[in-house]
Amino acid sequence: MSAQGPDHLSSHHRDTLLRIFQHPTSHNIEWPDVLSLLEAVGSVERQHDGKYVVTVGTETEVLTPPKHKDIDVQQVIDLRRMLTSAGYRAIVDNFQAKGQEI
């Protein structure tokens, strides 16, 4: 599955996507925002242990919700890899090329 165009993402999802790829790494990306984005771009299944099985494109990861509201740097790195593999890096690059940064 390749990334769909940005039209299927709400402005809130686009903002979260941009924050995930922001350099330097943003330290205020909230878990509920990430979860909502992942549900919009892939499939998310909550497990009985509270973890989430997330599939975006051909990548499947088991994600553990953070203890606090914001995800940590390692989670940002993992999400970047997963979203890049599914083609979402190109969408971010396109937004940034048009000056639609945060």
Side-chain angles (χ1 to χ4, degrees):
M1 174 193 317
S2 62
Q4 299 177 33
D7 296 339
H8 79 285
L9 297 175
S10 71
S11 62
H12 187 72
H13 291 145
R14 286 192 297 268
D15 289 345
T16 302
L17 185 63
L18 289 169
R19 283 199 312 272
I20 289 170
F21 282 97
Q22 181 178 343
H23 288 283
T25 301
S26 177
H27 292 279
N28 62 344
I29 305 171
E30 294 186 13
W31 172 248
D33 295 342
V34 170
L35 199 55
S36 178
L37 171 65
L38 293 172
E39 289 170 340
V41 301
S43 66
V44 177
E45 182 182 336
R46 186 164 193 242
Q47 301 294 296
H48 67 278
D49 60 3
K51 295 180 181 182
Y52 291 82
V53 176
V54 178
T55 302
V56 178
T58 60
E59 298 273 329
T60 299
E61 294 281 334
V62 177
L63 303 179
T64 302
K67 294 185 187 332
H68 306 288
K69 67 177 182 159
D70 295 331
I71 62 172
D72 63 29
V73 173
Q74 186 58 53
Q75 288 170 314
V76 172
I77 292 167
D78 293 344
L79 288 167
R80 282 180 185 165
R81 182 188 46 72
M82 181 181 236
L83 291 165
T84 297
S85 176
Y88 283 90
R89 176 74 214 202
I91 291 173
V92 170
D93 291 344
N94 187 38
F95 278 131
Q96 290 174 340
K98 291 179 180 177
Q100 297 181 11
E101 301 201 28
I102 306 168

